[in-house]
Amino acid sequence: MGSNIFSFERFLKVLKYDLKMRVPAIGIFFLVLLIIPHVLHQIMDFGNSFPAGQRLDLYSVMCVFLVFFAPFKIYYAFRDKQGRTSFLMLPASSLEKFASMVLVSLVLVPVSFCLCSFLVDVVLCLFFSGQYGSVVTVDYGILAWGFLGLFCIAGAAILGNTLFKKGAPGKTLLCIIILIFLWLTAITGFIFDNFIEDGNVDAEVLQMRGEMMVNLSRIVYSAVAIMFYILAWWRIKKIQIS
C-alpha cells in the first residue's frame, strides 16, 4: 500500500489519537482566549454596557489568534526530532495524517471555540442582562468572509509548522505579512491605474469595480490558501517517505 492511499478507518484512528494526545496541549490557551474579552471589558470599561457588536469583534479576534497558534501548539512535536519520529511511526499514510491535522485545526478547534464563546455569552446575558443586553448574532455574509480568512490562516500555520523548526510562529507570521504587503501593493497599483488615472467618478462604475476587486480578492485568497494546504501535504509526504 502506498503512502497516498486513504483509509477512512486509519484516518479515524489518527484523528482519535490527535484528539486524545495532542489537542489537550491547547487547553489552557483555549480557556484564556475564551475569557479575555470579558476580562478586558471589566478592566477597561467596568460597570458600563458591553454591546453585542463589540463582543462579537473581540470573539472574532480571539478566534483568529486560536486558529493561527493552535497548529503550532497541538503539533509542536512535529518540529522536534524525536516528536517527528513518533509522528512518522503512526500506522497511517501522509494523506490520513494531513487530513486529521486539517480537520482538527480548521474545523474542530475553531467550531468548538465559537460554540463555547456563544454559550458563555448566553450565560452572561442571562446573569448580567443589564450589562450584556442581547446575545450576539452573526451575519451570514460576514461569516463566509470569516471562514475564508480562517481557511487562509490555518493553512499558513499548518504549512509554517511543517517548514520551520525554531521560531515557527514568528517566521510564519512574517511570511504572511510579506504576502499581504505584496498583495496590497498590487491592489494599490490597480486602484491607481483603474480608479484614479482615468478620472471616472461615475458611482455605478466605481461600485462595479469595487465589487470586482472584492471578488478578485476572494479568488486570490482562496488560491493562495489552497496552495498552502497542498505544500503542507507535500511536505508531510516528503518527510513520511524520507
Side-chain angles (χ1 to χ4, degrees):
M1 295 177 67
S3 62
N4 291 334
I5 295 176
F6 186 90
S7 166
F8 190 70
E9 184 178 350
R10 287 201 308 266
F11 162 72
L12 285 180
K13 288 181 179 178
V14 176
L15 180 61
K16 288 178 182 177
Y17 179 85
D18 284 352
L19 292 174
K20 183 179 179 180
M21 304 301 294
R22 302 186 193 277
V23 173
I26 63 164
I28 295 176
F29 184 61
F30 187 99
L31 292 174
V32 168
L33 290 180
L34 201 62
I35 65 172
I36 277 181
H38 310 286
V39 173
L40 281 177
H41 172 70
Q42 294 302 324
I43 293 173
M44 300 176 67
D45 202 12
F46 185 78
N48 294 321
S49 63
F50 196 3
Q54 193 177 80
R55 300 201 306 272
L56 180 60
D57 290 341
L58 286 171
Y59 297 160
S60 300
V61 171
M62 295 303 109
C63 189
V64 168
F65 272 108
L66 180 66
V67 170
F68 178 74
F69 286 104
F72 298 105
K73 288 182 172 292
I74 295 173
Y75 299 99
Y76 69 91
F78 196 86
R79 303 191 302 276
D80 177 73
K81 187 174 181 180
Q82 185 176 354
R84 184 175 293 189
T85 301
S86 65
F87 179 85
L88 297 177
M89 291 296 289
L90 287 174
S93 70
S94 57
L95 182 58
E96 291 151 5
K97 294 172 183 177
F98 172 71
S100 176
M101 196 179 292
V102 172
L103 184 61
V104 168
S105 303
L106 180 62
V107 180
L108 299 182
V109 168
V111 167
S112 299
F113 184 79
C114 290
L115 289 176
C116 289
S117 295
F118 180 75
L119 289 174
V120 170
D121 196 80
V122 170
V123 171
L124 290 172
C125 285
L126 287 173
F127 284 95
F128 305 99
S129 58
Q131 192 175 104
Y132 279 79
S134 60
V135 177
V136 294
T137 56
V138 183
D139 178 80
Y140 287 106
I142 297 176
L143 195 63
W145 262 109
F147 178 77
L148 177 58
L150 294 182
F151 182 69
C152 297
I153 292 167
I158 292 172
L159 177 59
N161 194 54
T162 63
L163 288 177
F164 306 118
K165 290 184 179 180
K166 295 183 178 180
K171 291 177 181 176
T172 303
L173 186 59
L174 180 61
C175 291
I176 292 174
I177 292 172
I178 292 172
L179 288 174
I180 291 174
F181 174 78
L182 292 174
W183 175 241
L184 289 178
T185 302
I187 286 289
T188 303
F190 181 87
I191 290 174
F192 182 81
D193 292 338
N194 294 276
F195 284 62
I196 299 173
E197 274 196 347
D198 61 7
N200 195 331
V201 293
D202 183 82
E204 291 185 3
V205 173
L206 291 177
Q207 183 179 359
M208 182 182 67
R209 289 179 176 177
E211 291 175 355
M212 183 179 68
M213 291 300 301
V214 170
N215 293 330
L216 179 61
S217 295
R218 286 175 177 170
I219 293 171
V220 170
Y221 294 155
S222 300
V224 171
I226 291 171
M227 181 186 69
F228 287 158
Y229 288 98
I230 292 173
L231 289 174
W233 173 70
W234 175 81
R235 175 64 176 161
I236 293 171
K237 179 183 176 182
K238 184 179 178 182
I239 294 172
Q240 181 88 349
I241 62 178
S242 61

